[in-house]
Amino acid sequence: MHAIRSLLFCAALAALGTATAHAETPTPESVLGARVGDDFFLATYDESIAYFRQLAAASDRVELVRVGETSFGLDWYLAIISSPENLANLDEIRATAQRLAHPEGLSGEEARRLARDGKAVVHIDGGLHATEVAHAQHTIQLAYDLATETEDPEILAILDDVVLLLWPSINPDGQNIVVDWYRSNLKTQYEVAPLPRLYQKYVGHDNNRDGYMLNTLESRVATRVVREWEPQILYNHHQTSPFPSRIWIPPFAEPVSEFVHPLMWRTVNLVGMSMAQALEERGQDGAMHMGTGFDNWYPGFLDHANNFHNVAALLTETGLYRYATPHFYTIDDFPGGERDLRPRSLYASPWEGGWWRLRDAVDYMLTASISVLDVAAKYKTDLLYNRYQAGRDVIAGHRREPPFAYFVPRSQRDPVAAVELLRRLAFNGVEISRLTGAATFEGQDYSEGTWVIPMDQPFANFVRQLFAVQSYPDLREYPEGPPDQPYDVAGWTLPFQMDVRVVAATSPLDEPIRRALEPVTGTALPWDSDVADAATFDSPLGVGFDSHAVAAAIRPPAGHASGSGAALVVDPAQNNSFRALNRTWAAGGKVSFIRDGRYAITGLGDVDTLVKDLALQAERGPAGGQRLARPRIGLYRPWDPSMDEGWTRWLLERYDFDFANVYNAEMVAGDLRSRFDVILIPDIPSGEILRGHAKGKVPPRYAGGIGPRGVRALDAFVRAGGTLVTWNRGTLFAVEQLHLPVENIVADLDKTDFFMGGSIVEMIVDTSHPVMSGMPERAKIFVDRSPVFTVPGDFEGAVLAKYADAGSPLLSGYLLGEEHLQGYASALDVHHGDGHVVLLAMRPQWRAQPFGTFRIVFNAALYGSQLAAAAPDNPGFWSPPEREEEESGDDESGR
């Protein structure tokens, strides 16, 4: 493609100081002091924006727009790049994109006219994963190249027919964090040392897994912009191409999501093939298609979530060494199967090795980005019309076949959880209605105010993908081999995770129901609103979105306290009850635990405000129960950063828990019992807890884990009456290091016999135990390669949850080897000295999605010695299942 050759040649001329046609436009190096992609140089986000400001001031092709703030309070900007004529006409261009994205009432003829006269809108971003440094550097060069090219007809066609929404970075905080870390270690033995903290305030790498939950501020800002503009293509850069390929590009690996309009996959594949062609024309070897590895099954990727909105969304993975440090590869560095350099259909020009520099990655990304824009310009009319056609087809399909709608009753175990679910859908552009009066449909009675999601709308596939039960296909690495595990997770069914009752309509909505429906939200948010600002989203209703277009309309039933008495009794089935407890302690009030599993609040002057603000469905009753002091909670935070720790920190903050992070040095120092009542260890592998970063790999402050001294300190903490709470892989650390009488019975099973990755299963719960207060007896719980426990008959403690004795517990996702679960334990309270170790073989707060199991974490965080004293004995809940004996002399372990 001549356009790409021209742009890269233009960049080379700029690097030599050659005058361009826009001589007054500042070059990146004139502002940054270095060429984009130079060895050992990375621009911070602040420096990048300083350049974009000067570029926008000098060029009539570039506008810089503030779109909100980041989690750490940085002003966040979007660059809009196109011809001056298009920039002067953005409102009309945006209106056309919106109209085609929402095709109700639009004829095919009118849609073709809009497609012919409109402009393509393309989103390209500077990447989410900040240690993948090249993408946020390449946006600087891309903006300059597009702003200054004056002769190339293909580039001029792009400017005429495409509006580019270019994010200098889609993770500004992370860009600053990573660049500052790299600079602090430059020219030392730690130059390529791994980052000792997450590169997003809470979730690090999982910032690309939040596309439908929108828990992080950055996800909401990005989604708000996408829903405002409704681009036809969304391109998300990444930089972890499987070695030795230099860039991985679509088509994606199998399986792909079920409910995506096929035109999206065809467009994504077209773009991928166009990228490959452009890379070959440039002599940029090593382009591999994503035939293996990167599937598009999980809908929570920030890019992929938009495929369900009929946006052709894709990512690429470009080669990376570390930061801006160059590296030389020889054939001996290649995996054995890649050393023959044999061309393959999806890897036609194998990379032969040599130097790999940051500038190489930047150049590959420039080729890929311009290729996307070139496709958008050449196929502009088709892209715009296909957006209309996809939306029209989705609407028509859901008028022909079920589900025709979803009913969400206002009466729920936790009414606020339903609101949290619906707000996320509405923020993602889904149209939600409510019944203006009581109605009956398909034999079920629904009260006034019941929410209804009619599925004859253009974004219906998004709802369906989130609400459906997943059945991950049984793909194998080779015939009769182990499962080809999902790239991310296998099942996520949102109503299951959030414990929200949703009823699918299996027949078309009749006329009485249609007449009773009243829309409660639109599909777009006002561009000039402040819904991107942090304070807007942290509403009193848990972690919902108090935005202009959503929260005013989607509200839970009003808070209410029935009965009379000195105490306000709150139900742990409602997550906001824990906010109430924490606010009570903070205000000097008193909290008690009642034997029926509820909590009682006394000593507050105004509980009515608490009930109203938190929409509590509570009771008034007599004071009493086991008095609880506010527990002193510690959350373990390693220097080998843990996303699960970050999600836990996010969750505890949102529900007003008072806690402190506990680092390795504090663990090793000991005397933990004098400072903490409860210590939480999230889903972190034993090796990372014990050993952390190897000595010499990072600066000394960040090296090592808690080691044997830290283990002894934890053991002393529990024996002295403390409570250690662990989940998923963290449980294995506790079992192994504290020598607990617990066995993980699936530890030695081969993947051909047992695999349970990222799925929702049913567990039977002992609801009489304080840790399980508020849970249903049969609970839907997320697991991810979780252990499965058994204990001896003389075990001191309690089984809190178990699997049924027969049948498969799988509800959504993938499970191989159900017989290895039947009758075994999934949560334990182990007595250890005078204290307790709570082992949760699950992920109860996974990515802050399972609202239905947050209460397990919350109850466990309150499970200090006082609450443990209220735990009843329930020996009849569980007994060890019989196990097959191992045959003598057989090295293979039996069940």
Side-chain angles (χ1 to χ4, degrees), residues 789-858:
F789 294 137
T790 191
V791 293
D794 59 353
F795 161 71
E796 293 186 13
V799 173
L800 312 182
K802 64 182 181 180
Y803 292 101
D805 294 334
S808 174
L810 181 67
L811 298 176
S812 184
Y814 182 87
L815 170 62
L816 175 66
E818 64 193 46
E819 66 274 14
H820 300 294
L821 301 176
Q822 292 166 352
Y824 288 106
S826 53
L828 301 169
D829 172 10
V830 183
H831 297 178
H832 191 64
D834 292 333
H836 296 255
V837 180
V838 176
L839 305 173
L840 304 172
M842 60 187 71
R843 297 192 67 180
Q845 42 47 290
W846 174 72
R847 294 177 184 164
Q849 295 189 20
F851 277 66
T853 52
F854 287 173
R855 64 183 70 94
I856 298 178
V857 176
F858 298 157

Side-chain angles (χ1 to χ4, degrees), residues 232-233 250-252 254 256-257 260-275 289 296 304 307 310-314 375 379 382-383 386 389-390 393:
Q232 292 81 48
I233 297 177
F252 288 94
E254 297 296 341
V256 295
S257 296
V260 172
H261 193 284
L263 278 172
M264 299 309 106
W265 295 132
R266 298 301 187 185
T267 304
V268 166
N269 295 346
L270 170 66
V271 171
M273 291 302 177
S274 298
M275 286 181 180
H289 294 284
N296 240 0
H304 183 36
N307 277 307
N310 309 315
V311 177
L314 66 145
V375 167
Y379 297 97
D382 291 332
L383 287 172
N386 286 349
Q389 181 174 327
D393 292 350

